[in-house]
Amino acid sequence: METYSLLRSFADSWYLLFMTLFFVGIIAWAWRPGSRGAQQDAATSIFRNDDRPAAGGAYDDAPRSQSQGAR
């Protein structure tokens, strides 16, 4: 059997099975009961600086009186 045919048959059968099990494993890991805290933290991370803007923002040093173009 030549190398290409051997690798092609491996990719068509065992590697497809491996990738399917890997995908199902990742989905099961994400839906496990212990991951709720990490998912909640990731979901609310954009609201951490809601009380005040983050220091060093892009608009902190911009003068307020400059014209921004036609309005």
Side-chain angles (χ1 to χ4, degrees), residues 20-70:
T20 303
L21 292 175
F22 184 73
F23 178 76
V24 169
I26 287 177
I27 298 299
W29 180 77
W31 282 85
R32 75 185 195 283
S35 68
R36 179 173 294 277
Q39 291 174 1
Q40 191 66 25
D41 184 47
T44 59
S45 66
I46 62 170
F47 302 115
R48 285 188 185 140
N49 295 320
D50 240 9
D51 295 337
R52 59 183 167 82
Y59 299 107
D60 288 347
D61 298 330
R64 302 280 185 220
S65 63
Q66 282 186 345
S67 174
Q68 297 294 325

Side-chain angles (χ1 to χ4, degrees), residues 1-11:
M1 186 177 255
E2 89 184 53
T3 305
Y4 176 78
S5 298
L6 178 67
L7 292 175
R8 177 65 192 244
S9 65
F10 176 74

